[in-house]
Amino acid sequence: MKHFFVAFFVIMSFVMSRIFTFCQSQQPGPTEGEPIPTIKPVAIEETSEDGQGNTDASTNLPTITDPAMYNTEDVSNERKVFVAKALEYLGTPYKYASTNASGMDCSGLVYRSALDALDIKLPRSTKTLAEHCTRLLSSQEPQVGDLLFFNTTGSGISHVGIYLGEKKFIHAASSGPRIGVIISSMTETYYKNCFLFYASFLK
């Protein structure tokens, strides 16, 4: 009886090994000379929420090292310097009524960038800043370094940003999925809906 179980175990081991070898041979593999395929990472498209529950793709937003948005012949040097200084504050936390690198609000970003880059002391609040600037006509195209004013509260001028070109602008956001000094696009639904006008304090 003992010999029977030993023989049975040996036979079953042989049969299982043959079955395993057969299954392995049936799986597809790379042909000779063909490289073994690798898994490529999936590129995730960045999005930004507009504050009203809608999400828009933020395509090719410029960065600090991207000169294409302001480095053109028809942009004055003071506009380039002003925008370059504002971009240095990208990522700065939002802080109401503050104008320094530890935190700033929307008008604080404009104030600090103009003061540091051009030694120009602008009005500190968004409303007085709008009154100080020259509004662009609806037929005029904005230039790099112009300001954008928004009604984000429903009660008039309440937010300001700095135009970078290509419908992009830098500003200090106080709410939403991204807070602090960020770059946004005028193609985003929220900003299109609350936009008021362009204005400038530069020539």
Side-chain angles (χ1 to χ4, degrees), residues 50-52 94 106-107 126-127 148-161 169 171-176 184 186 188-197:
D50 61 21
Q52 300 297 317
Y94 179 87
C106 62
S107 58
T126 304
K127 290 182 179 180
L148 310 83
F149 290 90
F150 301 87
N151 177 5
T152 57
T153 63
S155 58
I157 299 170
S158 59
H159 190 61
V160 63
F169 63 98
H171 62 128
S174 61
S175 62
S184 298
M186 283 297 292
E188 295 175 40
T189 305
Y190 177 68
Y191 294 112
K192 283 195 296 185
N193 290 341
C194 64
F195 173 74
L196 293 175
F197 56 85

Side-chain angles (χ1 to χ4, degrees), residues 36-90:
I36 298 175
T38 57
I39 299 174
K40 296 181 179 180
V42 177
I44 300 175
E45 184 179 40
E46 292 185 1
T47 60
S48 58
E49 193 169 308
D50 61 21
Q52 300 297 317
N54 299 318
T55 302
D56 297 300
S58 54
T59 56
N60 301 321
L61 292 183
T63 63
I64 293 176
T65 57
D66 181 6
M69 67 209 151
Y70 60 88
N71 199 14
T72 56
E73 293 182 1
D74 57 346
V75 176
S76 67
N77 186 62
E78 64 178 0
R79 287 176 179 269
K80 293 179 184 179
V81 172
F82 173 56
V83 168
K85 178 56 65 174
L87 286 168
E88 289 183 11
Y89 293 109
L90 194 64

Side-chain angles (χ1 to χ4, degrees), residues 165-184:
E166 300 298 326
K167 298 184 178 181
K168 310 295 192 303
F169 63 98
I170 184 170
H171 62 128
S174 61
S175 62
R178 297 182 299 149
I179 298 175
V181 179
I182 60 174
I183 293 175
S184 298

Side-chain angles (χ1 to χ4, degrees), residues 57-141:
S58 54
T59 56
N60 301 321
L61 292 183
T63 63
I64 293 176
T65 57
D66 181 6
M69 67 209 151
Y70 60 88
N71 199 14
T72 56
E73 293 182 1
D74 57 346
V75 176
S76 67
N77 186 62
E78 64 178 0
R79 287 176 179 269
K80 293 179 184 179
V81 172
F82 173 56
V83 168
K85 178 56 65 174
L87 286 168
E88 289 183 11
Y89 293 109
L90 194 64
T92 299
Y94 179 87
K95 186 177 181 181
Y96 179 71
S98 182
T99 63
N100 55 61
S102 64
M104 56 182 61
D105 58 16
C106 62
S107 58
L109 172 64
V110 177
Y111 176 88
R112 176 53 56 188
S113 300
L115 186 63
D116 290 352
L118 306 171
D119 199 26
I120 295 176
K121 193 172 184 178
L122 294 172
R124 185 57 192 84
S125 74
T126 304
K127 290 182 179 180
T128 54
L129 180 60
E131 294 170 357
H132 174 80
C133 296
T134 301
R135 296 194 187 191
L136 274 63
L137 301 175
S138 57
S139 58
Q140 291 179 286
E141 288 292 325

